Amino acid sequence: TFHMSQSTKLLEPYKLGALTLSNRLVMAPLTRNRAPDAIPTALMAEYYAQRTSEGGFLIGEATIAAPNGNGYLGAPGLFDDSQIEGWKHVTDAVHAKGGKIFLQLYHAGRQSNVDVQPAGSIPVGPSEVLHGGVAYTNDGWVPNTPNRALTIEEIAGLVESFRTAAERGVKAGFDGVELHGANGYLVDQFLRTTSNTRTDEYGGSRSNRLRFLKEVVDAVSDEVGAERTAIRLAPFLTARGMACPDILPTILEAAEYLQAKGIGYLHLVEADWDDAPVFTESFRQAIRQRFSRPIIVAGNYDRARAEWVIGKGYADL
């Protein structure tokens, strides 16, 4: 339990861009599956309000950026104007209690099933690579439907989808936008040699595999401002067929780009699955050398471990 009298960096106020946070504890983005037809509900507004404190920071649940971007029945979206109003109730409820909230935008890519795709279409991804992932449908957890590879034109369309979804997010009152580049979803699928076997400008070399991430970051930054743009990455993820031998150098290169871009923060996913490899201290040092802006870490943190990671300067939130 926290005793407020004890000195702790965790409970100190923190300046995140233009936002003043009352402490360094953040509510992680948690998938809720409570949005029928991808439209946020009053229940969601209540849920977020319950978790808001004065000056506290929340990250919203993974929100679908394009009509073919879902992998979970009941996930909310911002790919259509009809979804803005429901999100306004959520952000209003958080702001009424003095909290701050970022939208998290995602596209599941190949991590999906025809049952949660528009008109039963085939899920898309960088390449056609079979893997062992599952999606959540009316029948519960089911194996992913084998995906097809995106065309160059479709990739450009998806970049634009992230931009317009971010635009809707600002209209809905979010304080910023976090891109979901982790956990085996579309941005992550482009980064890894295991899921990306393309031979065009989006595959092969490290810079090619980083191209989609950079284009999405650029599009969203141009729309909402770099300071209100953030990204979540999962360097040590191996689940969902994502064990790429080149992922750590790829993410370090991404960090250099994100630093130069001046984004609001970098959010790193740590242990989340039973077999999740542990972050090495050398990697924490390597990413901090490249990214001096705010870093958020999430995954199995208790108070002592949180104090350690912030005390060492490896993370800020």
Side-chain angles (χ1 to χ4, degrees):
T1 53
F2 282 107
H3 297 287
M4 297 301 280
S5 59
Q6 292 176 358
S7 156
T8 166
K9 270 194 161 176
L10 282 179
L11 299 179
E12 287 173 4
Y14 183 81
K15 199 111 168 62
L16 182 68
L19 306 178
T20 301
L21 311 181
S22 55
N23 56 57
R24 294 171 182 251
L25 300 168
V26 182
M27 191 186 98
L30 300 165
T31 299
R32 302 294 297 161
N33 306 90
R34 289 181 176 180
D37 303 316
I39 294 175
T41 59
L43 184 65
M44 286 168 57
E46 183 184 0
Y47 168 83
Y48 284 102
Q50 285 170 344
R51 284 152 184 83
T52 302
S53 58
E54 180 71 38
F57 186 46
L58 296 81
I59 304 171
E61 64 206 89
T63 300
I64 313 158
N68 66 352
N70 196 18
Y72 304 96
L73 181 74
L78 263 174
F79 54 84
D80 190 272
D81 288 350
S82 66
Q83 295 150 345
I84 295 172
E85 196 56 39
W87 279 121
K88 268 190 184 147
H89 294 304
V90 172
T91 61
D92 285 349
V94 169
H95 292 148
K97 291 179 74 173
K100 316 289 181 191
I101 184 167
F102 265 44
L103 163 68
Q104 189 193 66
L105 283 179
Y106 103 117
H107 190 296
R110 69 179 191 177
Q111 193 68 31
S112 186
N113 183 282
V114 290
D115 285 358
V116 288
Q117 287 289 316
S121 56
I122 302 290
V124 296
S127 308
E128 291 176 32
V129 180
L130 287 172
H131 67 111
V134 290
Y136 189 71
T137 72
N138 276 313
D139 298 321
W141 292 104
V142 298
N144 287 328
T145 305
N147 70 283
R148 64 173 180 82
L150 288 157
T151 66
I152 293 280
E153 293 72 29
E154 285 176 314
I155 292 171
L158 287 176
V159 172
E160 178 63 8
S161 292
F162 273 97
R163 187 193 68 74
T164 54
E167 183 184 22
R168 290 185 192 98
V170 171
K171 284 180 183 162
F174 283 99
D175 297 296
V177 178
E178 176 182 292
L179 301 167
H180 203 333
N183 295 5
Y185 300 132
L186 186 62
V187 175
D188 206 7
Q189 288 160 30
F190 272 96
L191 294 180
R192 298 174 193 252
T193 56
T194 36
S195 46
N196 181 354
T197 59
R198 298 179 74 97
T199 54
D200 60 15
E201 62 262 43
Y202 287 94
S205 69
R206 208 172 282 158
S207 60
N208 280 3
R209 284 181 282 113
L210 280 162
R211 192 180 304 273
F212 184 67
L213 177 152
K214 290 178 179 179
E215 288 180 348
V216 173
V217 168
D218 287 353
V220 172
S221 297
D222 288 349
E223 188 58 52
V224 307
E227 197 177 66
R228 294 202 291 173
T229 302
I231 193 165
R232 190 179 215 217
L233 299 172
F236 289 90
L237 176 75
T238 57
R240 301 174 174 175
M242 300 300 282
C244 166
D246 195 54
I247 194 58
L248 296 186
T250 302
I251 282 180
L252 291 176
E253 197 168 306
E256 292 175 14
Y257 179 79
L258 299 166
Q259 172 75 18
K261 193 81 191 165
I263 68 161
Y265 64 80
L266 174 58
H267 181 181
L268 299 172
V269 184
E270 300 195 28
D272 200 13
W273 283 270
D274 293 339
D275 65 344
V278 178
F279 260 56
T280 61
E281 198 161 353
S282 62
F283 182 78
R284 292 184 194 279
Q285 291 164 353
I287 204 152
R288 180 49 100 190
Q289 281 163 7
R290 288 160 178 81
F291 194 83
S292 62
R293 299 180 63 76
I295 292 177
I296 300 181
V297 287
N300 295 343
Y301 275 91
D302 57 14
R303 177 176 179 165
R305 205 162 154 259
E307 293 278 16
W308 172 82
V309 80
I310 287 173
K312 282 282 208 175
Y314 298 147
D316 304 285
L317 299 164

